[in-house]
Amino acid sequence: MSGQYIVKTSDYINVGVTSTDDGAACLLEKRFKKDLSVGDLKGKLELFTGAQAATMTIKVYNKDDELICTLDNNDALVGSYPIDDGMRLHVEDPFILRKEIEVSDVVKFDISEEEYAKREDTVKAYLERNKLGKYNKEEVEKRERERKQEEEAEEKLAQNIKVNDRCLVKVIGQPERRGQVMFVGQVEFKPGWWVGIKYDEPQGKNDGSVNGVRYFECPPKYGSFVKPQFVEVGDFPEEEIDLDEEL
């Protein structure tokens, strides 16, 4: 042996995703392949953020909220940028669509759908002219295929997780937590596949129910739902706290 070592890195990165819409940032946890192009990454982020792939900018921040870089080349691979697990992708777009505008000083008026369709200075007209969002048939079909592929990948991961399994939960930006799997499947509050966990300590967000729908039973603040990719099942016994070591 020459003393040289080969370091094998993961083919994926686990990152947080934020987008600014009306001044509010919403954190998501996502997993992307490093051999994904920046252009394709923008397409995926379009599904979650409401920003348009054609006009969005992606900035990368580390765990200390320091700007690391900007993904400025649509043809470059995500893995060619200095992005590590736990970092944050922040999506900016001057043309993010607002669901509702409430300005007390603005005079409101009604307009028929026919009249609205004839106007050329509307959001709809802009999207149609530039073939953005739902007005780009090829992109819509591509996004739908990607959504289905992501859901199928989640389902495969979920199939290896069983109710009553002991587990270790590793969520980006949070400490590792041990618990027991109580639920595996799809839910009403968000799309995709989810794993319901009863933590060993009160480190959760609920009691096994969300929005009035019960998925499993556990004490308040002991329950949580996480994506399958953040759940590792195995021999993870409940940790014992040695009170004699505390002062």
Side-chain angles (χ1 to χ4, degrees), residues 97-144:
L97 301 182
R98 270 55 173 178
K99 294 181 180 179
E100 183 178 0
I101 299 177
E102 292 183 354
V103 183
S104 59
D105 294 334
V106 175
V107 178
K108 300 179 181 179
F109 62 94
D110 294 325
I111 184 173
S112 68
E113 293 185 6
E114 292 78 10
E115 292 176 333
Y116 181 79
K118 294 177 182 178
R119 296 184 59 168
E120 297 183 357
D121 59 347
T122 63
V123 170
K124 179 177 181 292
Y126 177 89
L127 295 177
E128 287 180 333
R129 282 196 303 272
N130 293 277
K131 294 185 178 180
L132 296 175
K134 65 181 182 180
Y135 299 101
N136 187 328
K137 183 179 179 181
E138 291 182 358
E139 284 298 313
V140 169
E141 292 176 348
K142 179 182 177 182
R143 303 292 177 255
E144 180 61 19

Side-chain angles (χ1 to χ4, degrees), residues 34-38 73-81:
K34 290 182 179 179
D35 62 0
L36 191 70
S37 72
V38 171
N73 184 350
N74 285 344
D75 296 324
L77 300 182
V78 172
S80 67
Y81 289 88

Side-chain angles (χ1 to χ4, degrees), residues 1-177:
M1 298 292 291
S2 63
Q4 294 182 341
Y5 297 90
I6 297 176
V7 178
K8 181 175 176 59
T9 60
S10 172
D11 294 331
Y12 292 84
I13 53 169
N14 297 302
V15 294
V17 177
T18 56
S19 64
T20 303
D21 186 0
D22 290 332
C26 179
L27 179 64
L28 302 171
E29 296 155 359
K30 291 295 175 183
R31 186 169 182 252
F32 299 109
K33 295 192 69 175
K34 290 182 179 179
D35 62 0
L36 191 70
S37 72
V38 171
D40 287 338
L41 173 64
K42 288 182 177 181
K44 289 180 177 294
L45 292 175
E46 190 178 66
L47 298 173
F48 313 121
T49 63
Q52 300 294 321
T55 54
M56 76 168 62
T57 299
I58 305 175
K59 295 183 178 180
V60 181
Y61 291 85
N62 64 15
K63 296 179 181 179
D64 297 321
D65 275 337
E66 298 171 334
L67 178 64
I68 301 302
C69 62
T70 299
L71 307 190
D72 52 4
N73 184 350
N74 285 344
D75 296 324
L77 300 182
V78 172
S80 67
Y81 289 88
I83 308 176
D84 294 322
D85 284 351
M87 288 188 175
R88 176 170 62 91
L89 306 183
H90 183 67
V91 177
E92 297 180 352
D93 185 355
F95 200 71
I96 287 181
L97 301 182
R98 270 55 173 178
K99 294 181 180 179
E100 183 178 0
I101 299 177
E102 292 183 354
V103 183
S104 59
D105 294 334
V106 175
V107 178
K108 300 179 181 179
F109 62 94
D110 294 325
I111 184 173
S112 68
E113 293 185 6
E114 292 78 10
E115 292 176 333
Y116 181 79
K118 294 177 182 178
R119 296 184 59 168
E120 297 183 357
D121 59 347
T122 63
V123 170
K124 179 177 181 292
Y126 177 89
L127 295 177
E128 287 180 333
R129 282 196 303 272
N130 293 277
K131 294 185 178 180
L132 296 175
K134 65 181 182 180
Y135 299 101
N136 187 328
K137 183 179 179 181
E138 291 182 358
E139 284 298 313
V140 169
E141 292 176 348
K142 179 182 177 182
R143 303 292 177 255
E144 180 61 19
R145 288 196 301 271
E146 291 175 346
R147 185 193 65 77
K148 289 182 178 180
Q149 289 173 356
E150 183 173 336
E151 188 169 307
E152 288 171 358
E154 283 186 351
E155 183 177 5
K156 288 182 179 179
L157 291 173
Q159 289 174 348
N160 296 320
I161 303 172
K162 308 298 180 184
V163 172
N164 294 325
D165 279 347
R166 289 291 301 173
C167 66
L168 181 67
V169 177
K170 301 178 180 179
V171 177
I172 298 170
Q174 299 180 16
E176 294 183 357
R177 290 166 286 180

